[in-house]
Amino acid sequence: MHALPQDRPGVRIARLRRERHLTQRGLADLSGVPYNTLIKIEQGRLEATPHAVASLARAMRVTVGIIQGQPYADDLRADELDLLIGPIREALDVYDLGADPEVAARPLQTLSEESEALCEAVRGGEIKRVASDVAGLIVETTTAAHTHGGSDGWLVLASLYRTSYDVASKLGYADLAQLSLARLDWAAQRASDAVFGGAYQYFRALTYLREGQLRTGQRLIDLGLSTIEQAGPSQSRDVVVGQLHLGGSVVAGRDHDEAKAMGHLAEAEPHRQPHRGIAQGSLDGLRRSQRRCASSVSLG
């Protein structure tokens, strides 16, 4: 993983530009970011917008995370990251192997409560602790879900896959984040849960929006809205519908379509319900877990 010192995005942009033997004018022409805007960003006189960051990242062929920096990864040594990330990869790989006879899974209620605690820890910025704990909990819950066979286990597992996505994203492992989303979708399908299915498309859309790929991002937003139409009325459904419309408003805004952006915002407004969930489950602990996980979703 490309490591740069802890500094502001403008300094990183200038360093990356010089490494590529580009002038400010040359990078402005390649990226489409106005020359004067680029100068101000590099000097720290203007904050780089997500669209500018994405455009500059594409022009210099780096990820958005390289420009923005990974504050959580900066606090960990490379060997520490390997010790944390390796078990998560392994836990994601055993998703379809059935129940592990050597794993004694605890009751779903307990697993749900621990999943909820990890969601809270993510919101509190305790990424290292979450990264240390999530792999083992995924392995245990995978066995529990295969053993019980009902939707409750798959929903807890989907929530844990969402947590592994958070960890991978914050530590700068884009491939692991995408794998986590694929597993989330897999678990949501087994739970026959359209709410989680809609949330999956939302998280996919975020990846493209951060990279400035607006057309693909909008298509995924549309697919998410179509998917979640299959869900019955619920507070958790409202949360995801609201997030999808907010995402749509971001796409329209960056595309300078004010009318469409305002339309999405109008659609999102009735669905604004703080501290609600992104999945329905019969377990009380699971309901609390999904409410808190959903409230941490953002476009940042």
Side-chain angles (χ1 to χ4, degrees):
M1 185 167 53
H2 190 137
L4 292 174
Q6 284 186 318
D7 45 27
R8 56 183 172 78
V11 172
R12 296 188 183 95
I13 290 167
R15 184 181 296 112
L16 290 164
R17 174 179 59 75
R18 289 192 294 268
E19 286 176 358
R20 286 153 180 77
H21 305 290
L22 288 169
T23 63
Q24 290 175 321
R25 179 71 68 182
L27 180 55
D29 291 342
L30 280 174
S31 65
V33 174
Y35 174 65
N36 289 334
T37 299
L38 176 59
I39 291 175
K40 292 177 182 177
I41 289 173
E42 288 194 358
Q43 293 176 344
R45 294 190 291 131
L46 182 68
E47 183 177 351
T49 66
H51 178 71
V53 170
S55 299
L56 292 165
R58 282 199 305 274
M60 294 188 288
R61 298 187 178 183
V62 298
T63 65
V64 169
I66 294 299
I67 292 178
Q68 292 178 328
Q70 299 293 345
Y72 298 101
D74 288 341
D75 293 335
L76 297 170
R77 301 190 310 271
D79 57 338
E80 288 182 302
L81 283 171
D82 290 341
L83 288 173
L84 293 173
I85 294 300
I88 297 176
R89 290 192 187 280
E90 294 175 11
L92 295 177
D93 281 343
V94 301
Y95 72 106
D96 60 349
L97 297 184
D100 187 335
E102 295 185 4
V103 174
R106 292 167 293 169
L108 284 177
Q109 179 71 41
T110 302
L111 297 175
S112 174
E113 290 170 355
E114 293 203 7
S115 173
E116 174 187 352
L118 290 188
C119 286
E120 292 285 4
V122 168
R123 294 178 63 195
E126 300 178 61
I127 301 303
K128 184 176 180 179
R129 181 173 78 80
V130 176
S132 299
D133 295 345
V134 70
L137 199 52
I138 287 175
V139 169
E140 185 178 355
T141 306
T142 299
T143 286
H146 280 286
T147 300
H148 291 280
S151 63
D152 292 337
W154 298 120
L155 287 170
V156 178
L157 187 58
S159 177
L160 289 167
Y161 287 147
R162 159 68 204 282
T163 298
S164 71
Y165 164 81
D166 285 333
V167 169
S169 296
K170 292 180 183 297
L171 293 180
Y173 288 83
D175 63 323
L176 188 62
Q178 290 302 310
L179 180 59
S180 298
L181 286 186
R183 296 293 182 264
L184 187 156
D185 184 48
W186 179 84
Q189 290 182 28
R190 272 141 193 80
S192 300
D193 192 275
V195 174
F196 252 127
Y200 163 65
Q201 302 302 344
Y202 169 71
F203 294 130
R204 287 182 67 198
L206 287 188
T207 301
Y208 287 94
L209 296 184
R210 288 170 181 147
E211 297 292 337
Q213 299 183 39
L214 303 184
R215 182 173 180 272
T216 301
Q218 183 60 63
R219 292 179 68 191
L220 289 167
I221 292 290
D222 293 341
L223 180 57
L225 289 169
S226 175
T227 299
I228 207 165
E229 285 180 359
Q230 303 169 36
S234 70
Q235 294 173 341
S236 54
R237 178 186 185 278
D238 286 344
V239 168
V240 179
V241 169
Q243 293 290 355
L244 285 164
H245 278 298
L246 287 175
S249 72
V250 171
V251 174
R254 293 181 188 173
D255 203 29
H256 307 293
D257 189 336
E258 182 178 354
K260 189 172 183 179
M262 296 306 295
H264 274 296
L265 287 175
E267 291 287 345
E269 183 63 28
H271 301 287
R272 290 182 60 190
Q273 298 185 37
H275 309 296
R276 302 303 190 200
I278 61 173
Q280 283 183 289
S282 61
L283 295 175
D284 291 340
L286 179 59
R287 290 195 185 100
R288 292 195 303 274
S289 175
Q290 305 314 323
R291 282 199 295 272
R292 289 169 181 168
C293 279
S295 66
S296 69
V297 174
S298 72
L299 280 169

